[in-house]
Amino acid sequence: MAAYVAVASLAFVQPHQSLAKAADAWQNLFDGKTLNGWKRLGGTADYKVENGVIVGTTVMNSGNSFLTTEKEYGDFQLEIDIMLESPVSNTGVQTRSHFNTPGHEGKVYGRQIEIDPSERAWSGGVYDEARRQWLYPLDLNPKAKTLYKQGQYNHLKIECIGNETKTWLNGQPVAYVVDPVDPKGFIGLQVHAINTKEQEGKKIYFKNIKIKTTDLKPSPFPADIYVVNFVPNYLTPYEKEHGWKLLFDGKTSAGWRSAKATTFPAQGWQTTDGTMTVLSSEGKEAANGGDIVTKDEFGSFDLSFEFKLTPGANSGVKYFVTLAEKSEGSSIGPEYQVLDDERHPDAKLGRDGNRTLASLYDLIKADKNPRFIHPIGEWNVGRIVSYPDKRVEHYLNGAKVLEYTRGSKEFRDLVAQSKHHIWPNFGEAPKGHILLQDHGNQVSFRSIKIKELK
């Protein structure tokens, strides 16, 4: 990782120096003297100009406060230096955001690039303020957690071109989100709401705020950054270049077959409206269309998929499925549980919650924060990463919820206590199919993509 780039000594460029006249067409958003072109929305935090810097100060009994541009921006590159006085404070930069529309009365909402000095260390991640919450938590790029420097100016770069948002902190890449929501909106500087005296009166400093809106060219990202892509069944050129492939084309069952036959099931599954949906058969496991599997087999991989549950539904995504067991019901393999935890009885079975959503079914409980569980009827993003060294991770909506090592003593001990103990060497095959389970309930899948790891 490159060394931290010190930005505290960056000189503020006065407006008469005319960044706009420079060849790269940068413009100042803040003239260093006044808040002309900005307005406060939301809470009651104080914003002032001191020594060429915008200073926001936290206040008690206020909601989130925002100093926002009066102008809206579509495509842009933005750079800004930010410093927090205290690690108990919080801030962020709103992009393409909005205020006080139906359903969001009195609230600023939109994608926020987070500055997070807490132990969680998600600075540079992407949060959807007052709407979808976290879009890109830094569990997806843990190397970036060390980039933020408390008590110093941190240089944040944000690039919004088309549906793509990329972020950099102190010169290093952090987050990559592809999102068709909000093609334009205002830019805002947040002072977060507080609820303790310890947090009151803390200052947040913003300076060197510049923007470029013409002659934009996408900035390169290294190969190992995971992309959160909310355009259904679509891969960006970046994803294709770095090895990602769609397992579902959004239109047909190409690449899939029945777990019990060489062809795709004639009934029980539908591929319509950009989704692959297993239909209800009153909860009877594998009794209608049955499980489906990829025609290809995979060993080390990064697998991502979206799923949408109906009330009370049960399904799952299995991996390292060899089909050698010839089981009567669902085929055998480690399973990322897809379940309505509130309504389906399976959530209360097993051991210590190890049959709940995103868990390694009947083996390891997913450690989920409720804010990362999207409601029934909405899309959730699951992710399974199987590394060459046999480590495996499960994610739910960007947050890592469990990890384990296939074939380890700990793993084998868990298998011995589970319903899988009857299958020799369960979960230890060098490669296998990816499986979508028919558990008799209607569940939809889309944006199923995979990258093989070496």
Side-chain angles (χ1 to χ4, degrees), residues 140-332:
L140 298 174
N141 187 3
K143 293 179 181 178
K145 292 183 178 183
T146 62
L147 297 176
Y148 173 80
K149 306 300 179 183
Q150 176 56 30
Q152 302 178 30
Y153 274 103
N154 290 263
H155 187 68
L156 180 64
K157 175 182 174 181
I158 305 166
E159 179 179 281
C160 293
I161 300 178
N163 290 335
E164 299 191 1
T165 296
K166 299 176 185 174
T167 71
W168 292 257
L169 187 63
N170 296 323
Q172 298 302 308
V174 180
Y176 194 156
V177 173
V178 183
D179 188 7
V181 174
D182 296 332
K184 68 176 183 178
F186 57 67
I187 291 165
L189 312 178
Q190 185 197 48
V191 172
H192 203 280
I194 60 169
N195 52 27
T196 68
K197 293 294 290 184
E198 177 192 17
Q199 298 169 315
E200 186 178 15
K202 302 302 182 184
K203 297 183 182 297
I204 304 167
Y205 303 88
F206 307 92
K207 71 175 184 176
N208 297 334
I209 310 170
K210 64 179 184 177
I211 195 167
K212 181 180 178 182
T213 59
T214 60
D215 301 321
L216 297 173
K217 296 180 180 179
S219 303
F221 248 38
D224 59 349
I225 304 297
Y226 178 79
V227 178
V228 171
N229 189 338
F230 293 115
V231 179
N233 308 312
Y234 165 76
L235 293 177
T236 65
Y238 170 90
E239 290 173 292
K240 292 178 181 178
E241 178 185 355
H242 297 299
W244 286 93
K245 297 179 181 179
L246 287 176
L247 291 180
F248 171 50
D249 62 15
K251 300 176 182 178
T252 71
S253 60
W256 295 83
R257 68 175 180 87
S258 168
K260 305 293 186 182
T262 58
T263 58
F264 195 80
Q267 62 181 21
W269 288 84
Q270 287 183 346
T271 53
T272 57
D273 300 323
T275 67
M276 183 176 286
T277 299
V278 56
L279 302 178
S280 174
S281 58
E282 300 178 349
K284 299 174 183 177
E285 182 178 334
N288 193 6
D291 299 343
I292 59 172
V293 297
T294 55
K295 292 180 180 179
D296 293 333
E297 296 185 65
F298 303 93
S300 301
F301 58 82
D302 192 339
L303 173 70
S304 180
F305 53 94
E306 290 187 58
F307 61 91
K308 181 169 64 174
L309 289 157
T310 53
N314 185 351
S315 183
V317 176
K318 298 185 181 182
Y319 47 104
F320 292 105
V321 175
T322 66
L323 304 176
E325 293 84 1
K326 307 298 181 183
S327 57
E328 292 184 5
S330 184
S331 297
I332 304 304

Side-chain angles (χ1 to χ4, degrees), residues 324-376:
E325 293 84 1
K326 307 298 181 183
S327 57
E328 292 184 5
S330 184
S331 297
I332 304 304
E335 178 180 353
Y336 181 111
Q337 174 77 309
V338 174
L339 191 77
D340 179 351
D341 286 350
E342 295 299 320
R343 298 174 181 86
H344 198 284
D346 214 19
K348 298 177 177 61
L349 302 177
R351 296 168 58 90
D352 303 321
N354 63 8
R355 295 188 183 182
T356 54
L357 175 64
S359 295
L360 178 63
Y361 177 74
D362 211 46
L363 294 172
I364 302 174
K365 178 185 177 181
D367 184 11
K368 305 186 294 289
N369 185 320
R371 72 188 303 184
F372 286 91
I373 306 173
H374 296 171
I376 301 302

Side-chain angles (χ1 to χ4, degrees), residues 7-28:
V7 296
S9 62
L10 290 177
F12 178 77
V13 181
Q14 297 294 341
H16 65 267
Q17 293 177 270
S18 188
L19 281 170
K21 294 181 181 179
D24 59 3
W26 285 93
Q27 296 179 323
N28 289 307

